[in-house]
Amino acid sequence: MVDVYWRIGTHGDQPSVRRPHAQTRGDWAPSEPGSITPGRRGGSDDGYTYVDHMADVAKAAESAGFVGGLLPSFPFTDDPFTTAALLARETRTFRFMVAYQPGFLDPVHAARLSASLQRATGGRLTYNVITGGGGPQQTWWGDTVAHDDRYARTAEFLDALKGAWGTEPYDLDGRFFDVQGAHLPPELAAQPVPEVYFSGSSPAAIETAGKHADYYLSWLEPFSALPDKFRQVREESAAFGRTPRFALRVEILARPTEEEAWAEIDRAWPAIDKAKLSFDATGDSVGAARARGFIKQPVTGPRDLEVEPNVWAGFHLLRGGPVFGLVGSYDQVAQRLDELVELGTDAFILAAVPHLEEAYRIGSEVLPRVTFDRTNSLTSTLRSAS
Amino acid sequence: MSLRVWTTLATRDERDWGHLPPSEERAHAVRAAEIAGLDGVVAPYDLGGEESTVLVGDALRHTRWVHALHEFHVAAFNPVYAAKIAASYQRFTAGRLDWAPLVTAATPSQRRPSSTDAASWYARADEFLNVARGVWNNATFDLEGTYYQVKGGGFREALAGLPFPRVHLTGSDDDALWLSAKHGDVHVFTTAHEVAERGPLLQEQARALGREVELGVRLSVLVRETDDEARYELSAESGASPDLVPLPSGASWWDGFATRGHASPGGLVGSYAQVADELARLASEGVNTVILDVRPRVEETYRIGEHLLPLVRPAAGSTTSDLETTGVR
């Protein structure tokens, strides 16, 4: 069974992929006529906040057949644990994939928080454990631990979280955490530990992932590059006697016909930031730097970024986030997703702008066309506490 | 001065409602506080119960008016992340989040360097609050502390300009008063005696730092239409005549509420008028925050809203002039 997740932006949303980076949903730009959450009513804000829109996206994804949604975390976005706690009782089957950095919480308190969310939602919490890219973004968070040490901390954190997740006292005289007699009350200890989607691609990351990841999560890359990446993680994990599954975060632009899909990009093209077309490593994205090797310069039009059939390396030009995604007809995109499963993908996090409307579109047009067995959130039994 | 009246939320299951998820029971109590016109609900830190961050989210999402007081151990989060969580709550709930960071409560886990005694816990809490306010109120912020280090921090964009959660602190020893004088907005004591004994000293210390700290008290109550009814309720439960200490108003102080399952062992027993009188007496000593522990929660919250609040708010000289205004509802 393949779990197919959607994504909920924690940073506002734009109304269309045709208008790169135009944020009208949420309060990242001042509200004006046409803004949503807050909207305008009688000349002032209507009192709704961005979480009301996030609730709509969660409900859309739930009814469109996704098992849940990724809630990403960046310095100036909203906090995923907060969002999950706010929306817990507004959905029934939707799993909250909470992105967080283990260094910012205490592991035992994180266990308590997580188990309480599990109990409130019937076991609908999933982790996206991120360890951080380093540099100014980490010190902004108050984190001065060096790169490889951060992965050691992530490992120790997850050891402690899982160790404390029981009714017997747990001690850990760790390098980063000092744990004495930690345990959970029986009602919380009975909850399932969330599945771990693990991000990071350095050797230190893969070593930690080998020990703790249920799913190794990667952005989409050209199909030709994925088998090597999967193989590397599989080898590292074998040393720990574990067999990780693989999850891909995939941007989608799907329309009834291929022509219509590319036409969306053609409309957006004049407004994109042309500086990003050089895929210069000084840019803001590791993914962009990694993409450089796949791009033939010079890039003069959108189709120059189609590195493999339907695999387009320009999504970061339309919105913040990954470089690679799928562009094509509903049939083509569904077929590519099938191929990714054949390459060894066990789960997906799909996303498209705008998140609300596209959840319905992908759910009703693309997902029914894939042939792999996917988890059906509406009929599957929740992973509830026994 | 207006009196803010809060109730505490359950962190453990209190009724055996097998047909409903446990969060539903708590949701009813939150709704009762909202409907009955209380000012807020407290999500307590309880190692043997559910975690308060989750309680706060659920309470705020399903109300429009009540504030939620997030009680958490300072060891639970790094201060930047704690502030980030608070900022999201403030953004989404019209600034209805309040903070109650705990300093010396038990915690089974902490980030190194470890705090080993009260002094080092207070030093850590001081740094925690410096960092949290620092990143909140500044577009750029640096701090090289013993416990926390931030470089190039600071909330900008959508995180900027939000009301910082009102900080509620507790304790009655010198360290506790010092921390409150420096960082607290409200200091919550547990008895009228503590308020009288330590309240003026705290406020003097705060004023010396150019700050104002309000006083609060957290206690249990059992109120009925008459004093007899309230006492009858107690003796019917305990089977014996409880050990009540008479108070000037005719109400009583009882230290035995723990036997009824309350988290606050001490509290007031009496008629609506008597208990209102005791609260007015506290108000005259500067108390403007009262956190009440009542059982069963839904029914007693309604009772407080209908019968006690109408008496205490005018009795405390309430005007709406200093009501908190934290943003659009």
Side-chain angles (χ1 to χ4, degrees):
Chain A
M1 280 292 188
V2 176
D3 285 349
V4 183
Y5 285 83
W6 190 241
R7 175 184 191 272
I8 298 184
T10 50
H11 45 70
D13 203 1
Q14 61 201 68
S16 161
V17 75
R18 297 178 188 179
R19 299 173 56 189
H21 307 288
Q23 302 269 320
T24 56
R25 300 178 182 190
D27 51 356
W28 275 257
S31 71
E32 55 186 41
S35 294
I36 286 178
T37 62
R40 304 288 290 176
R41 211 174 261 261
S44 56
D45 286 359
D46 64 4
Y48 285 102
T49 63
Y50 182 59
V51 77
D52 295 298
H53 177 66
M54 288 200 272
D56 284 346
V57 179
K59 288 171 189 175
E62 182 175 73
S63 26
F66 293 93
V67 297
L70 166 67
L71 296 158
S73 173
F74 301 97
F76 295 104
T77 65
D78 289 303
D79 175 60
F81 271 120
T82 309
T83 306
L86 286 162
L87 299 183
R89 286 196 299 124
E90 287 184 61
T91 50
R92 304 188 58 166
T93 65
F94 186 86
R95 298 182 200 162
F96 298 95
M97 187 188 286
V98 166
Y100 71 96
Q101 298 204 32
F104 307 163
L105 295 88
D106 173 86
V108 177
H109 289 97
R112 282 172 31 71
L113 196 170
S114 303
S116 298
L117 262 178
Q118 290 290 57
R119 194 161 189 245
T121 60
R124 293 190 278 126
L125 179 65
T126 304
Y127 286 158
N128 173 19
V129 171
I130 44 183
T131 303
Q137 204 166 67
Q138 285 306 113
T139 61
W140 181 94
W141 282 107
D143 185 12
T144 52
V145 174
H147 179 274
D148 286 8
D149 286 345
R150 282 205 306 279
Y151 281 98
R153 182 179 61 191
T154 292
E156 189 178 298
F157 176 95
L158 290 170
D159 282 341
L161 181 138
K162 292 174 181 175
W165 199 300
T167 52
E168 296 300 315
Y170 171 82
D171 297 336
L172 177 70
D173 182 12
R175 209 179 126 198
F176 302 95
F177 303 105
D178 174 3
V179 182
Q180 294 174 28
H183 59 93
L184 298 183
E187 295 82 358
L188 295 186
Q191 302 298 320
V193 176
E195 284 185 325
V196 174
Y197 281 65
F198 193 96
S199 305
S201 46
S202 66
I206 291 174
E207 190 186 322
T208 307
K211 192 173 175 200
H212 284 290
D214 295 304
Y215 288 86
Y216 179 82
L217 174 61
S218 163
W219 283 359
L220 178 68
E221 297 202 349
F223 288 34
S224 56
L226 281 171
D228 266 353
K229 199 163 186 181
F230 288 174
R231 189 178 314 118
Q232 195 191 353
V233 177
R234 212 172 276 126
E235 282 168 12
E236 291 284 346
S237 305
F240 296 95
R242 288 171 58 95
T243 314
R245 285 167 283 177
F246 297 98
L248 285 180
R249 163 89 172 75
V250 184
E251 289 289 310
I252 305 264
L253 203 172
R255 291 293 181 272
T257 65
E258 185 180 10
E259 293 69 33
E260 287 172 81
W262 288 110
E264 289 293 315
I265 293 176
D266 289 337
R267 285 194 188 92
W269 193 257
I272 62 152
D273 179 0
K274 300 288 190 296
K276 288 186 177 172
L277 287 176
S278 66
F279 288 83
D280 192 334
T282 59
D284 58 357
S285 167
V286 177
R290 207 173 140 75
R292 198 165 28 157
F294 295 100
I295 314 289
K296 266 202 229 74
Q297 296 286 354
V299 175
T300 55
R303 294 303 279 260
D304 292 339
L305 297 175
E306 190 181 13
V307 298
E308 290 172 355
N310 307 112
V311 178
W312 192 59
F315 276 93
H316 64 303
L317 304 169
L318 306 180
R319 54 176 295 282
V323 173
F324 293 106
L326 301 177
V327 178
S329 68
Y330 299 145
D331 282 327
Q332 287 172 326
V333 169
Q335 202 183 329
R336 296 291 168 264
L337 293 174
D338 272 336
E339 286 166 17
L340 288 169
V341 171
E342 282 159 25
L343 285 177
T345 307
D346 303 289
F348 289 106
I349 300 168
L350 306 182
V353 164
H355 289 71
L356 171 71
E357 295 89 329
E358 290 295 316
Y360 284 122
R361 182 201 299 274
I362 310 289
S364 50
E365 300 293 350
V366 175
L367 294 187
R369 287 173 159 89
V370 302
T371 62
F372 57 80
D373 282 339
R374 64 193 173 90
T375 314
N376 184 336
S377 70
L378 295 176
T379 56
S380 69
T381 308
L382 287 176
R383 302 162 297 168
S384 59
S386 50
Chain B
M1 183 184 291
S2 145
L3 194 64
R4 291 190 183 87
V5 179
W6 304 64
T7 52
T8 54
L9 295 177
T11 50
R12 310 182 189 200
D13 302 347
E14 294 182 338
R15 299 192 215 224
D16 183 15
W17 282 353
H19 58 293
L20 286 177
S23 56
E24 200 65 30
E25 179 184 345
R26 187 166 44 242
H28 290 186
V30 170
R31 191 170 160 76
E34 171 89 354
I35 296 294
L38 274 71
D39 296 275
V41 292
V42 178
Y45 170 74
D46 173 13
L47 282 174
E50 300 204 29
E51 201 275 338
S52 54
T53 316
V54 179
L55 273 57
V56 162
D58 195 55
L60 288 174
R61 180 64 181 152
H62 299 282
T63 50
R64 292 179 189 172
W65 293 97
V66 295
H67 280 227
L69 182 58
H70 184 196
E71 203 175 83
F72 61 92
H73 201 292
V74 291
F77 309 101
N78 107 10
V80 180
Y81 192 58
K84 182 77 186 297
I85 287 174
S88 286
Y89 278 138
Q90 295 297 55
R91 278 167 46 67
F92 295 152
T93 67
R96 292 188 287 124
L97 177 78
D98 290 41
W99 261 12
L102 300 184
V103 182
T104 52
T107 175
S109 178
Q110 58 175 307
R111 189 169 92 149
R112 295 193 184 281
S114 295
S115 298
T116 49
D117 54 13
S120 59
W121 275 114
Y122 276 103
R124 185 179 178 132
D126 178 35
E127 223 174 77
F128 182 99
L129 288 162
N130 279 333
V131 171
R133 270 196 212 277
V135 296
W136 192 285
N137 293 326
N138 298 282
T140 57
F141 179 79
D142 298 287
L143 185 138
E144 183 67 34
T146 306
Y147 299 94
Y148 308 109
Q149 296 80 35
V150 178
K151 221 171 130 188
F155 285 2
R156 299 184 289 274
E157 302 174 24
L159 299 184
L162 297 159
F164 192 77
R166 282 164 56 84
V167 175
H168 294 61
L169 293 165
T170 52
S172 58
D173 59 22
D174 291 345
D175 285 337
L177 298 197
W178 165 80
L179 189 70
S180 253
K182 215 172 154 191
H183 294 286
D185 295 304
V186 183
H187 192 89
V188 183
F189 292 105
T190 54
T191 63
H193 179 72
E194 277 182 352
V195 171
E197 191 87 340
R198 304 292 274 170
L201 175 64
L202 165 61
Q203 292 188 311
E204 193 183 309
Q205 288 177 357
R207 275 192 291 274
L209 298 173
R211 302 185 73 255
E212 285 291 332
V213 179
E214 298 178 355
L215 303 183
V217 66
R218 181 171 186 161
L219 39 77
S220 288
V221 290
L222 198 163
V223 280
R224 289 293 180 272
E225 200 170 320
T226 67
D227 184 39
D228 278 349
E229 278 182 85
R231 287 162 180 265
Y232 176 78
E233 176 80 22
L234 272 193
S235 53
E237 285 256 332
S238 60
S241 184
D243 195 8
L244 296 173
V245 181
L247 298 168
S249 65
S252 309
W253 180 263
W254 189 44
D255 274 322
F257 276 99
T259 62
R260 289 171 62 93
H262 291 222
S264 293
L268 298 169
V269 179
S271 71
Y272 302 135
Q274 290 167 341
V275 170
D277 199 33
E278 291 301 329
L279 295 181
R281 200 178 310 282
L282 283 165
S284 72
E285 292 180 37
V287 168
N288 63 354
T289 290
V290 180
I291 297 170
L292 300 179
D293 191 2
V294 293
R295 308 298 158 85
R297 297 177 195 266
V298 174
E299 300 90 317
E300 294 301 307
T301 299
Y302 262 78
R303 185 190 298 282
I304 285 164
E306 285 179 315
H307 301 290
L308 191 58
L309 289 193
L311 299 178
V312 298
R313 283 183 172 149
S318 168
T319 66
T320 54
S321 62
D322 69 341
L323 274 180
E324 209 173 346
T325 49
T326 49
V328 291
R329 295 280 175 188

